[in-house]
Amino acid sequence: MDNDIFNQTFEEYQKCAFLITSSEELGRDRLIQILENRNDYAPELDMILADLVESVGFYPYLEKENLVVSSMSQAIRKETNRSKNIDGKLFHDEQKHLLGLIESGKNIIASAPTSFGKSLLIEELVSSRKYRNILIIQPTLALLDETRKKLTKYHNSYKLIVRTSQIFSENEKGNIFLLTAERVNEYQDLPKIDYLVIDEFYKFSSHRDDERHQSLNNAFLKVYKKSEPKFYFLGPNIDGISPGFSDKYNAVFYKTNYSLVRCNVYDIYKNYIDQFSNLGKKAKLKENVLFELLNSREGEQSIIYCSSPNRARRLAKKYSDYIIHSNKKNITNEISIIEWIEKNISPKWSIIQSLQCGVAFHDGALPRHMTSSIIDYFNDSKIQVLFCTTTIIEGVNTSAKNIIYFDEKKGDDIGIDYFDYSNIRGRAGRLMQHYSGNVYNFNIPPEKETIYIDIPFFEQNPIHEEILINLEPDEVRNKNSPEYRFLQSLPIDEKFLFSKNAINIQGQKRLLEYLRENIKENHMLLSWSSTPRYDQLDFCINLCYDFLLKENEKSKQLTARKLTKVTYDYGYNQNINIIIKSTYDYKMKSIKREKLTPEKTQQLIDDSIKESFYLMRHWFQYKVPKLLLVLNELQKHVCNEYNLSAGNYLFYSSLIENDFIPDNLSILIEYGIPNSAIRKLSKSIPTTCIDDDVIKEVVNRRLYDSKNLIPYEKEIIKKNLL
């Protein structure tokens, strides 16, 4: 035994014990540092270390480090923190306390760090099998995919509902509804919900989100009015909510900074005062400092926050060029998605080179299976560097050791505030994988401020008509507001119609009046079913664009006329490559040939792919179907008034949203299966198979081993369905 190490260890443990008793937060922080560097301490004193770990409730670390507590009372406390329903899971003390609040019957609004493990309590709720119908609302499909994968193991007890057309179980099984707020509002016959979970509940706030906050407010109102379920809201870094909300809804607001992962902060900008910028030579310096930092952290997972998808993609390309030109790494990274990209998108897309260098980007425009695969590759260390946008803020779990706060804006104009920064910073380190994470600030962090989340339907200051329309008169606080007076002026049938459609109430009213005035002369352009002619689609998209979209939703680059063309062309060809080629050709027309360098050509290819994917995700799979369904309801209403035959846009809207995959196979889209694989599988799956039967057909007949599928497609099917 080395007496010096023994004495130093004893002294260090003694100091840590004093810190825990005098300032537990500082004591916990010091204890995490000790655990991270455990090899530097004398193992003969592990029993004292176990006592320290137990004293702050870090029970998961007792098993992680094979530490044995010294007394029966400690052993009993440890076992008390063991999950009753999930094998092998130990809760830390604060998780156990929060679970106790949930089990007491109170509604819970929990604010805790990212590394706290709030989502584990969702699984504990499910595994208890106490509730028949559980609804989990999350803001992104990426988060829902992650949750679905965790909860698939409970398929014997619960049917997973991931799309609005799925039929829920009314027999022996319960149901877990995994939906965005928008899909909750679209779900026509939602059953009585026994338990409601809202993840990232700050999305309620009108100050923290775009128009999508309206959907979450309305989803809560819809569910609560029908079912009055128990609920669990969870999110990070929040200090308070609308006063009076907790009292009205019998809720406990629970806030803690308790964390099992510490954060090391490095202020890179201090070494380069006034030398960093996103313009000119200063931009080049900032990028070089970033690239050198990433190389120095080789072997660790790093995420770089970027202001926009363009920025993330271009930095990923520049960094992979840097790796190649500096001979820092051999390009040997072979991952199966590369073959899929070459066959289905383009062998010229620069992401291929990036992936080969262990680099990627992550944003909301990529196809769902790609974002999911990229996160999986990152967590499996097949990708080490990930350039991200605000998608990193919204809760997807990664194994990032390092977070780099590189840009200080969201988009071109909106500055990152303290709340956003805290969420970015909170992604550094992962519970049970890292004892500490590193944050590298390339910008001065925003000043600390109190984070207060308003709940518009309750606080009503401000409140938009799209939420106000769903409140009962006795719930409205200001009956003299212009918004409420306008809603009260509407006939009952119109108010019900606009409420059901749930977007732009003023725009719906103007469009309804336009249709009444022009229905007879334009009837043939509106009364289509199945698939529209070009002139019919053009007329309808122009109506949607002019009346239903608010000004901040319109794009200078995408006019109604262009949106019609790309929608029609995609419906006709059903091939993303047609849109990519069309976008590329359009860009080429505006460039003089003599200025077309190889770098410029590559940028045109990359930009064309990015814009085409954005069209797919934002317009085809979200906006256009939604807008057409609103117009569908309005034209039906007017046609009934005039005794005219109405159109029916349901079939076409569903085709666009599901990427022209047969409706019975659209469940596979929700499970993250690439369209290329679904089209190959469709030849072997009867059209009579729907939902769960489709999945059983693929699994039981081992269709995932089809010779027609490439390795990546097989890999994704096995990962998501087996």
Side-chain angles (χ1 to χ4, degrees), residues 513-587:
E513 295 304 325
Y514 175 88
L515 291 174
R516 282 171 172 154
E517 293 171 10
N518 298 278
I519 190 69
K520 292 183 179 177
E521 60 185 279
N522 293 309
H523 181 246
M524 292 304 295
L525 294 172
L526 287 161
S527 61
W528 54 271
S529 299
S530 186
T531 304
R533 302 191 309 264
Y534 191 93
D535 60 334
Q536 292 171 327
L537 182 64
D538 184 51
F539 184 73
C540 289
I541 283 183
N542 270 278
L543 289 180
C544 293
Y545 200 92
D546 292 341
F547 288 97
L548 299 180
L549 286 182
K550 295 183 178 180
E551 286 306 312
N552 63 347
E553 297 177 85
K554 296 177 182 178
S555 166
K556 294 178 182 177
Q557 289 76 37
L558 188 65
T559 62
R561 180 181 177 186
K562 186 174 180 182
L563 181 58
T564 299
K565 185 178 188 313
V566 293
T567 304
Y568 188 85
D569 288 350
Y570 187 65
Y572 183 80
N573 296 290
Q574 299 177 24
N575 190 331
I576 185 71
N577 296 98
I578 300 298
I579 297 178
I580 294 171
K581 184 179 185 307
S582 174
T583 305
Y584 179 79
D585 290 344
Y586 178 80
K587 288 178 179 293

Coordinates of all heavy atoms in Angstrom, one line a residue, residues 513-587:
E513 N -65.8 33.5 -46.8 CA -66.5 34.5 -47.5 C -66.2 34.5 -49.0 O -67.1 34.7 -49.8 CB -66.3 35.9 -46.9 CG -66.8 36.0 -45.4 CD -68.3 35.7 -45.3 OE1 -69.1 36.0 -46.2 OE2 -68.6 35.1 -44.3
Y514 N -64.9 34.4 -49.3 CA -64.5 34.3 -50.7 C -65.2 33.2 -51.4 O -65.6 33.3 -52.6 CB -63.0 34.2 -50.8 CG -62.5 34.0 -52.2 CD1 -62.2 35.1 -53.0 CD2 -62.3 32.8 -52.8 CE1 -61.7 35.0 -54.3 CE2 -61.8 32.6 -54.1 CZ -61.6 33.7 -54.8 OH -61.2 33.6 -56.1
L515 N -65.2 32.0 -50.8 CA -65.8 30.8 -51.4 C -67.3 31.1 -51.6 O -67.8 30.7 -52.7 CB -65.6 29.6 -50.5 CG -64.1 29.1 -50.4 CD1 -64.0 27.9 -49.4 CD2 -63.6 28.6 -51.8
R516 N -67.9 31.7 -50.7 CA -69.4 31.9 -50.9 C -69.6 32.9 -52.0 O -70.6 32.7 -52.8 CB -69.9 32.6 -49.6 CG -70.2 31.6 -48.4 CD -70.5 32.3 -47.1 NE -70.9 31.3 -46.1 CZ -70.8 31.5 -44.8 NH1 -70.3 32.7 -44.4 NH2 -71.2 30.6 -44.0
E517 N -68.7 33.8 -52.2 CA -68.9 34.8 -53.3 C -68.6 34.2 -54.7 O -69.1 34.6 -55.7 CB -68.1 36.0 -53.1 CG -68.6 36.8 -51.9 CD -67.6 37.9 -51.5 OE1 -66.6 38.2 -52.3 OE2 -67.7 38.6 -50.5
N518 N -67.7 33.2 -54.7 CA -67.1 32.7 -56.0 C -67.3 31.2 -56.3 O -66.8 30.7 -57.2 CB -65.6 33.0 -56.0 CG -65.3 34.5 -55.9 OD1 -65.3 35.2 -56.9 ND2 -65.0 34.9 -54.7
I519 N -68.1 30.5 -55.4 CA -68.2 29.1 -55.5 C -68.8 28.6 -56.8 O -68.4 27.6 -57.4 CB -69.0 28.5 -54.3 CG1 -68.9 27.0 -54.3 CG2 -70.5 28.9 -54.4 CD1 -67.6 26.4 -54.0
K520 N -69.8 29.4 -57.4 CA -70.4 28.9 -58.6 C -69.5 29.0 -59.8 O -69.4 28.0 -60.6 CB -71.7 29.7 -58.8 CG -72.8 29.4 -57.8 CD -74.1 30.1 -58.0 CE -75.1 29.8 -57.0 NZ -76.4 30.5 -57.1
E521 N -68.8 30.1 -59.9 CA -67.9 30.2 -61.1 C -66.6 29.3 -61.0 O -66.0 29.0 -62.0 CB -67.5 31.6 -61.3 CG -66.8 32.3 -60.2 CD -66.6 33.8 -60.4 OE1 -65.6 34.1 -61.2 OE2 -67.3 34.6 -59.9
N522 N -66.3 29.0 -59.8 CA -65.1 28.2 -59.5 C -65.3 26.7 -59.1 O -64.4 26.1 -58.6 CB -64.1 28.9 -58.5 CG -63.6 30.2 -59.1 OD1 -63.0 30.2 -60.2 ND2 -63.8 31.3 -58.3
H523 N -66.6 26.3 -59.2 CA -67.0 25.0 -58.6 C -66.1 23.9 -59.2 O -65.7 23.0 -58.4 CB -68.5 24.8 -58.8 CG -68.9 23.5 -58.3 ND1 -69.4 22.4 -59.1 CD2 -69.0 23.0 -57.0 CE1 -69.7 21.4 -58.3 NE2 -69.5 21.8 -57.0
M524 N -65.9 23.9 -60.5 CA -65.1 22.8 -61.1 C -63.7 22.7 -60.6 O -63.0 21.7 -60.6 CB -65.1 22.9 -62.6 CG -66.5 22.7 -63.2 SD -67.2 21.1 -62.8 CE -66.1 20.0 -63.6
L525 N -63.2 23.9 -60.2 CA -61.8 23.9 -59.7 C -61.7 23.4 -58.2 O -60.6 23.1 -57.7 CB -61.2 25.3 -59.8 CG -61.0 25.9 -61.2 CD1 -60.6 27.3 -61.1 CD2 -59.9 25.1 -61.9
L526 N -62.9 23.4 -57.6 CA -62.9 23.0 -56.1 C -63.5 21.6 -55.9 O -63.2 21.0 -54.9 CB -63.7 24.0 -55.3 CG -63.0 25.4 -55.1 CD1 -64.1 26.4 -54.7 CD2 -62.0 25.3 -54.0
S527 N -64.3 21.1 -56.8 CA -65.1 19.9 -56.5 C -64.4 18.6 -57.0 O -65.0 17.7 -57.4 CB -66.4 20.0 -57.2 OG -66.3 20.1 -58.6
W528 N -63.0 18.6 -56.9 CA -62.3 17.4 -57.3 C -62.2 16.4 -56.1 O -62.2 16.8 -55.0 CB -60.9 17.7 -57.9 CG -60.1 18.6 -57.0 CD1 -60.0 20.0 -56.9 CD2 -59.1 18.1 -56.0 NE1 -59.1 20.4 -56.0 CE2 -58.5 19.3 -55.4 CE3 -58.7 16.9 -55.6 CZ2 -57.6 19.2 -54.4 CZ3 -57.7 16.8 -54.6 CH2 -57.2 18.0 -54.1
S529 N -62.0 15.2 -56.5 CA -61.7 14.1 -55.5 C -60.5 13.3 -56.1 O -60.1 13.5 -57.2 CB -62.9 13.2 -55.3 OG -64.0 14.0 -54.7
S530 N -60.0 12.4 -55.3 CA -58.9 11.6 -55.7 C -57.7 12.5 -56.0 O -57.1 13.1 -55.1 CB -59.3 10.7 -56.9 OG -58.2 9.8 -57.2
T531 N -57.3 12.6 -57.3 CA -56.1 13.4 -57.7 C -56.5 14.6 -58.5 O -57.3 14.4 -59.5 CB -55.1 12.5 -58.5 OG1 -54.8 11.3 -57.7 CG2 -53.9 13.2 -58.8
P532 N -56.1 15.8 -58.2 CA -56.5 17.0 -58.9 C -55.7 17.1 -60.3 O -54.6 16.7 -60.4 CB -56.1 18.1 -58.0 CG -54.9 17.6 -57.2 CD -55.2 16.1 -57.1
R533 N -56.4 17.8 -61.2 CA -55.7 18.3 -62.4 C -54.8 19.4 -61.9 O -54.9 20.0 -60.8 CB -56.7 18.8 -63.4 CG -57.7 17.8 -63.9 CD -58.4 18.4 -65.1 NE -58.9 19.8 -64.9 CZ -60.2 20.1 -64.5 NH1 -61.1 19.1 -64.3 NH2 -60.5 21.3 -64.3
Y534 N -53.9 19.8 -62.8 CA -52.9 20.9 -62.5 C -53.7 22.2 -62.1 O -53.3 22.9 -61.2 CB -51.9 21.1 -63.6 CG -50.8 22.0 -63.2 CD1 -49.6 21.5 -62.8 CD2 -50.9 23.4 -63.3 CE1 -48.5 22.3 -62.4 CE2 -49.9 24.2 -62.9 CZ -48.7 23.7 -62.4 OH -47.6 24.5 -62.0
D535 N -54.7 22.6 -63.0 CA -55.3 23.8 -62.7 C -56.1 23.8 -61.4 O -56.3 24.8 -60.7 CB -56.3 24.2 -63.9 CG -57.4 23.2 -64.1 OD1 -57.1 22.0 -63.8 OD2 -58.4 23.6 -64.7
Q536 N -56.6 22.6 -61.0 CA -57.4 22.5 -59.8 C -56.4 22.6 -58.6 O -56.7 23.3 -57.6 CB -58.1 21.1 -59.7 CG -59.2 21.0 -60.7 CD -59.8 19.6 -60.8 OE1 -59.1 18.7 -60.7 NE2 -61.1 19.5 -61.1
L537 N -55.3 21.9 -58.7 CA -54.3 22.0 -57.6 C -53.8 23.5 -57.5 O -53.6 24.0 -56.4 CB -53.1 21.1 -57.9 CG -52.0 21.0 -56.8 CD1 -52.6 20.5 -55.5 CD2 -50.9 20.1 -57.2
D538 N -53.5 24.1 -58.6 CA -53.0 25.5 -58.6 C -54.0 26.4 -57.9 O -53.6 27.3 -57.1 CB -52.7 25.9 -60.0 CG -52.1 27.3 -60.1 OD1 -51.1 27.5 -59.4 OD2 -52.6 28.2 -60.8
F539 N -55.3 26.3 -58.3 CA -56.3 27.1 -57.7 C -56.4 26.9 -56.2 O -56.4 27.9 -55.4 CB -57.7 26.8 -58.3 CG -58.8 27.7 -57.8 CD1 -58.8 29.1 -58.2 CD2 -59.7 27.3 -57.0 CE1 -59.9 29.9 -57.8 CE2 -60.7 28.1 -56.5 CZ -60.8 29.4 -56.9
C540 N -56.3 25.7 -55.7 CA -56.5 25.4 -54.3 C -55.2 25.8 -53.5 O -55.4 26.4 -52.4 CB -56.7 23.9 -54.1 SG -58.4 23.4 -54.7
I541 N -54.1 25.6 -54.0 CA -52.9 26.0 -53.3 C -52.8 27.5 -53.2 O -52.4 28.1 -52.2 CB -51.6 25.4 -54.0 CG1 -51.5 23.9 -53.6 CG2 -50.3 26.1 -53.5 CD1 -50.3 23.2 -54.0
N542 N -53.2 28.2 -54.3 CA -53.2 29.7 -54.2 C -54.2 30.2 -53.1 O -53.8 31.1 -52.4 CB -53.6 30.3 -55.6 CG -52.4 30.5 -56.4 OD1 -51.7 31.5 -56.3 ND2 -52.1 29.6 -57.3
L543 N -55.3 29.5 -53.0 CA -56.3 29.9 -52.0 C -55.6 29.7 -50.6 O -55.7 30.6 -49.7 CB -57.6 29.1 -52.1 CG -58.5 29.5 -53.2 CD1 -59.7 28.6 -53.2 CD2 -58.9 30.9 -53.2
C544 N -55.0 28.5 -50.4 CA -54.4 28.2 -49.1 C -53.3 29.2 -48.8 O -53.2 29.7 -47.7 CB -53.8 26.8 -49.1 SG -55.1 25.5 -49.2
Y545 N -52.5 29.5 -49.8 CA -51.3 30.4 -49.6 C -51.8 31.8 -49.3 O -51.3 32.4 -48.3 CB -50.5 30.4 -50.9 CG -49.1 30.9 -50.7 CD1 -48.1 29.9 -50.5 CD2 -48.7 32.2 -50.9 CE1 -46.7 30.4 -50.4 CE2 -47.4 32.6 -50.7 CZ -46.4 31.7 -50.5 OH -45.1 32.1 -50.3
D546 N -52.8 32.3 -50.0 CA -53.2 33.7 -49.8 C -54.0 33.9 -48.5 O -53.9 34.9 -47.9 CB -54.1 34.1 -51.0 CG -53.2 34.2 -52.3 OD1 -52.0 34.3 -52.2 OD2 -53.8 34.2 -53.4
F547 N -54.9 32.9 -48.2 CA -55.8 33.1 -47.1 C -55.4 32.5 -45.7 O -55.6 33.0 -44.7 CB -57.2 32.6 -47.4 CG -57.9 33.4 -48.4 CD1 -57.9 33.1 -49.8 CD2 -58.6 34.6 -48.1 CE1 -58.6 33.9 -50.7 CE2 -59.3 35.4 -49.0 CZ -59.3 35.0 -50.3
L548 N -54.8 31.3 -45.8 CA -54.5 30.5 -44.6 C -53.1 30.7 -44.0 O -52.9 30.5 -42.8 CB -54.8 29.0 -44.9 CG -56.2 28.7 -45.3 CD1 -56.4 27.2 -45.6 CD2 -57.2 29.2 -44.3
L549 N -52.2 31.0 -44.9 CA -50.8 31.2 -44.3 C -50.7 32.6 -43.8 O -51.1 33.6 -44.5 CB -49.8 31.0 -45.4 CG -49.5 29.5 -45.8 CD1 -48.4 29.5 -46.9 CD2 -49.1 28.7 -44.7
K550 N -50.1 32.8 -42.6 CA -49.8 34.1 -42.1 C -48.5 34.6 -42.8 O -47.7 33.8 -43.4 CB -49.6 34.1 -40.6 CG -51.0 33.7 -39.9 CD -50.9 33.8 -38.4 CE -52.2 33.5 -37.8 NZ -52.2 33.5 -36.3
E551 N -48.2 35.9 -42.8 CA -47.1 36.4 -43.5 C -45.8 35.8 -43.1 O -44.9 35.6 -44.0 CB -47.0 38.0 -43.3 CG -48.1 38.7 -44.1 CD -48.2 38.4 -45.6 OE1 -47.1 38.4 -46.2 OE2 -49.2 38.1 -46.1
N552 N -45.6 35.5 -41.8 CA -44.3 34.9 -41.4 C -44.1 33.5 -41.8 O -43.1 32.9 -41.6 CB -44.1 35.1 -39.9 CG -45.2 34.3 -39.1 OD1 -46.2 33.9 -39.7 ND2 -44.9 34.2 -37.8
E553 N -45.2 32.9 -42.3 CA -45.1 31.5 -42.8 C -44.8 31.4 -44.3 O -44.5 30.3 -44.8 CB -46.4 30.8 -42.5 CG -46.8 30.6 -41.1 CD -48.2 30.0 -40.9 OE1 -48.2 28.7 -40.9 OE2 -49.2 30.7 -40.8
K554 N -44.9 32.5 -45.0 CA -44.6 32.5 -46.4 C -43.2 32.7 -46.7 O -42.4 33.2 -45.9 CB -45.4 33.6 -47.1 CG -46.9 33.5 -47.0 CD -47.7 34.6 -47.6 CE -49.2 34.5 -47.4 NZ -50.0 35.6 -47.9
S555 N -42.7 32.2 -47.9 CA -41.3 32.2 -48.2 C -41.1 33.0 -49.5 O -41.9 32.8 -50.5 CB -40.8 30.8 -48.4 OG -39.6 30.8 -49.1
K556 N -40.1 33.9 -49.5 CA -39.8 34.7 -50.7 C -39.4 33.8 -51.8 O -39.6 34.0 -53.0 CB -38.8 35.7 -50.4 CG -39.2 36.8 -49.4 CD -38.1 37.8 -49.1 CE -38.5 38.8 -48.1 NZ -37.4 39.8 -47.8
Q557 N -38.7 32.7 -51.5 CA -38.2 31.7 -52.5 C -39.2 30.8 -53.0 O -39.1 30.2 -54.1 CB -37.0 30.9 -51.9 CG -35.7 31.7 -51.6 CD -35.8 32.6 -50.4 OE1 -36.4 32.2 -49.4 NE2 -35.2 33.7 -50.5
L558 N -40.3 30.6 -52.2 CA -41.3 29.6 -52.6 C -42.7 30.3 -52.7 O -43.4 30.4 -51.8 CB -41.4 28.5 -51.6 CG -42.3 27.3 -52.0 CD1 -41.7 26.6 -53.2 CD2 -42.4 26.3 -50.9
T559 N -43.0 30.7 -53.9 CA -44.3 31.4 -54.2 C -45.4 30.3 -54.3 O -45.1 29.1 -54.4 CB -44.3 32.2 -55.5 OG1 -44.0 31.2 -56.6 CG2 -43.2 33.2 -55.5
A560 N -46.6 30.7 -54.3 CA -47.7 29.7 -54.5 C -47.6 29.0 -55.8 O -47.9 27.8 -55.9 CB -49.1 30.5 -54.4
R561 N -47.2 29.8 -56.8 CA -47.1 29.2 -58.2 C -46.0 28.1 -58.2 O -46.2 27.0 -58.7 CB -46.7 30.3 -59.2 CG -46.6 29.8 -60.6 CD -46.2 31.0 -61.5 NE -45.9 30.5 -62.9 CZ -45.5 31.3 -63.8 NH1 -45.3 32.6 -63.6 NH2 -45.3 30.8 -65.0
K562 N -44.9 28.4 -57.5 CA -43.8 27.4 -57.5 C -44.2 26.2 -56.6 O -43.9 25.0 -57.0 CB -42.5 28.0 -57.0 CG -41.3 27.1 -57.0 CD -40.0 27.7 -56.6 CE -38.8 26.7 -56.7 NZ -37.6 27.4 -56.3
L563 N -44.9 26.5 -55.5 CA -45.3 25.4 -54.6 C -46.3 24.4 -55.4 O -46.2 23.2 -55.2 CB -46.0 25.9 -53.4 CG -46.5 24.9 -52.4 CD1 -45.4 24.0 -51.9 CD2 -47.2 25.6 -51.2
T564 N -47.1 25.0 -56.2 CA -48.0 24.1 -57.0 C -47.2 23.2 -58.0 O -47.4 22.0 -58.1 CB -49.0 25.0 -57.9 OG1 -49.8 25.8 -57.0 CG2 -49.9 24.1 -58.8
K565 N -46.2 23.9 -58.6 CA -45.4 23.1 -59.6 C -44.7 21.9 -59.0 O -44.7 20.8 -59.4 CB -44.5 24.0 -60.3 CG -43.7 23.3 -61.5 CD -42.8 24.2 -62.2 CE -42.2 23.5 -63.4 NZ -41.7 22.1 -63.2
V566 N -44.0 22.2 -57.8 CA -43.2 21.2 -57.2 C -44.1 20.1 -56.6 O -43.7 18.9 -56.6 CB -42.2 21.7 -56.2 CG1 -41.1 22.6 -56.8 CG2 -42.9 22.5 -55.1
T567 N -45.2 20.5 -56.1 CA -46.2 19.5 -55.5 C -46.7 18.6 -56.6 O -46.8 17.4 -56.5 CB -47.3 20.2 -54.8 OG1 -46.8 21.1 -53.8 CG2 -48.3 19.2 -54.2
Y568 N -47.1 19.2 -57.7 CA -47.7 18.4 -58.8 C -46.6 17.5 -59.5 O -46.8 16.3 -59.7 CB -48.2 19.4 -59.9 CG -49.0 18.6 -61.0 CD1 -50.3 18.3 -60.8 CD2 -48.3 18.3 -62.2 CE1 -51.0 17.7 -61.8 CE2 -49.0 17.6 -63.2 CZ -50.4 17.3 -63.0 OH -51.1 16.6 -64.0
D569 N -45.4 18.1 -59.7 CA -44.3 17.3 -60.3 C -44.0 16.1 -59.4 O -43.7 15.0 -59.9 CB -43.1 18.2 -60.5 CG -43.3 19.1 -61.6 OD1 -44.3 19.0 -62.4 OD2 -42.4 20.0 -61.8
Y570 N -43.9 16.4 -58.1 CA -43.5 15.3 -57.2 C -44.6 14.2 -57.1 O -44.3 13.0 -57.1 CB -43.3 15.8 -55.7 CG -42.7 14.7 -54.8 CD1 -41.5 14.1 -55.1 CD2 -43.5 14.2 -53.8 CE1 -41.0 13.1 -54.3 CE2 -43.0 13.2 -53.0 CZ -41.7 12.6 -53.2 OH -41.3 11.6 -52.5
G571 N -45.9 14.6 -57.2 CA -47.0 13.7 -57.2 C -47.0 12.8 -58.5 O -47.3 11.7 -58.5
Y572 N -46.5 13.5 -59.6 CA -46.5 12.8 -60.9 C -45.3 11.8 -60.9 O -45.5 10.6 -61.4 CB -46.4 13.8 -62.0 CG -46.4 13.2 -63.4 CD1 -47.6 12.8 -64.0 CD2 -45.2 13.0 -64.1 CE1 -47.6 12.2 -65.3 CE2 -45.2 12.4 -65.4 CZ -46.4 12.0 -65.9 OH -46.4 11.4 -67.2
N573 N -44.1 12.2 -60.4 CA -42.9 11.4 -60.6 C -42.7 10.6 -59.3 O -42.0 9.5 -59.4 CB -41.7 12.3 -60.8 CG -41.8 13.0 -62.1 OD1 -41.7 12.4 -63.2 ND2 -42.0 14.3 -62.1
Q574 N -43.1 11.1 -58.2 CA -42.9 10.4 -56.9 C -41.4 10.0 -56.7 O -41.1 8.9 -56.2 CB -43.8 9.1 -56.8 CG -45.3 9.5 -56.9 CD -46.2 8.3 -56.9 OE1 -45.8 7.2 -56.4 NE2 -47.4 8.4 -57.4
N575 N -40.6 11.0 -56.9 CA -39.1 10.7 -56.9 C -38.5 12.0 -56.4 O -38.5 13.0 -57.1 CB -38.6 10.3 -58.2 CG -37.2 9.8 -58.1 OD1 -36.4 10.2 -57.3 ND2 -36.8 8.8 -59.0
I576 N -37.8 12.0 -55.3 CA -37.1 13.2 -54.8 C -36.0 13.6 -55.7 O -35.7 14.9 -55.8 CB -36.5 12.9 -53.4 CG1 -35.9 14.1 -52.8 CG2 -35.4 11.8 -53.5 CD1 -36.8 15.1 -52.3
N577 N -35.4 12.7 -56.5 CA -34.4 13.1 -57.4 C -34.9 14.1 -58.5 O -34.1 14.9 -59.0 CB -33.7 11.9 -58.1 CG -33.1 11.0 -57.0 OD1 -33.6 10.0 -56.6 ND2 -31.9 11.4 -56.6
I578 N -36.1 14.0 -58.9 CA -36.7 14.9 -59.9 C -36.7 16.3 -59.3 O -36.4 17.3 -60.0 CB -38.1 14.5 -60.3 CG1 -38.1 13.1 -60.9 CG2 -38.7 15.5 -61.2 CD1 -37.3 12.9 -62.1
I579 N -37.1 16.5 -58.0 CA -37.1 17.8 -57.4 C -35.7 18.3 -57.3 O -35.4 19.5 -57.5 CB -37.8 17.7 -56.0 CG1 -39.2 17.3 -56.2 CG2 -37.7 19.1 -55.3 CD1 -40.0 17.2 -54.9
I580 N -34.7 17.4 -56.9 CA -33.3 17.9 -56.7 C -32.8 18.4 -58.1 O -32.2 19.4 -58.1 CB -32.5 16.7 -56.2 CG1 -32.9 16.3 -54.8 CG2 -31.0 17.1 -56.3 CD1 -32.2 15.1 -54.3
K581 N -33.1 17.6 -59.1 CA -32.6 18.0 -60.5 C -33.2 19.3 -60.9 O -32.5 20.2 -61.4 CB -32.9 16.9 -61.5 CG -32.3 17.2 -62.9 CD -32.6 16.1 -63.9 CE -31.9 16.4 -65.2 NZ -32.2 17.7 -65.8
S582 N -34.5 19.4 -60.7 CA -35.2 20.7 -61.1 C -34.7 21.9 -60.3 O -34.4 22.9 -60.9 CB -36.7 20.5 -60.8 OG -37.4 21.7 -61.0
T583 N -34.4 21.7 -59.0 CA -33.9 22.8 -58.2 C -32.4 23.1 -58.7 O -32.1 24.3 -58.8 CB -33.8 22.4 -56.7 OG1 -35.1 22.0 -56.3 CG2 -33.4 23.5 -55.8
Y584 N -31.7 22.1 -59.0 CA -30.3 22.3 -59.4 C -30.3 23.1 -60.8 O -29.5 24.0 -61.0 CB -29.6 21.0 -59.6 CG -28.1 21.1 -60.1 CD1 -27.1 21.5 -59.2 CD2 -27.8 20.8 -61.4 CE1 -25.8 21.6 -59.7 CE2 -26.5 20.9 -61.8 CZ -25.5 21.3 -61.0 OH -24.2 21.4 -61.4
D585 N -31.1 22.6 -61.7 CA -31.2 23.3 -63.0 C -31.6 24.7 -62.9 O -31.1 25.6 -63.6 CB -32.2 22.5 -63.9 CG -31.7 21.2 -64.3 OD1 -30.5 20.9 -64.2 OD2 -32.5 20.3 -64.8
Y586 N -32.6 25.0 -62.0 CA -33.0 26.4 -61.8 C -31.9 27.3 -61.3 O -31.7 28.4 -61.7 CB -34.2 26.4 -60.8 CG -34.7 27.8 -60.5 CD1 -35.6 28.4 -61.3 CD2 -34.3 28.4 -59.3 CE1 -36.1 29.7 -61.0 CE2 -34.8 29.7 -59.0 CZ -35.7 30.3 -59.9 OH -36.1 31.6 -59.6
K587 N -31.1 26.7 -60.3 CA -30.0 27.5 -59.8 C -28.9 27.7 -60.9 O -28.3 28.8 -60.9 CB -29.4 26.7 -58.6 CG -30.2 26.7 -57.3 CD -29.6 25.9 -56.2 CE -30.4 26.0 -55.0 NZ -30.5 27.3 -54.4

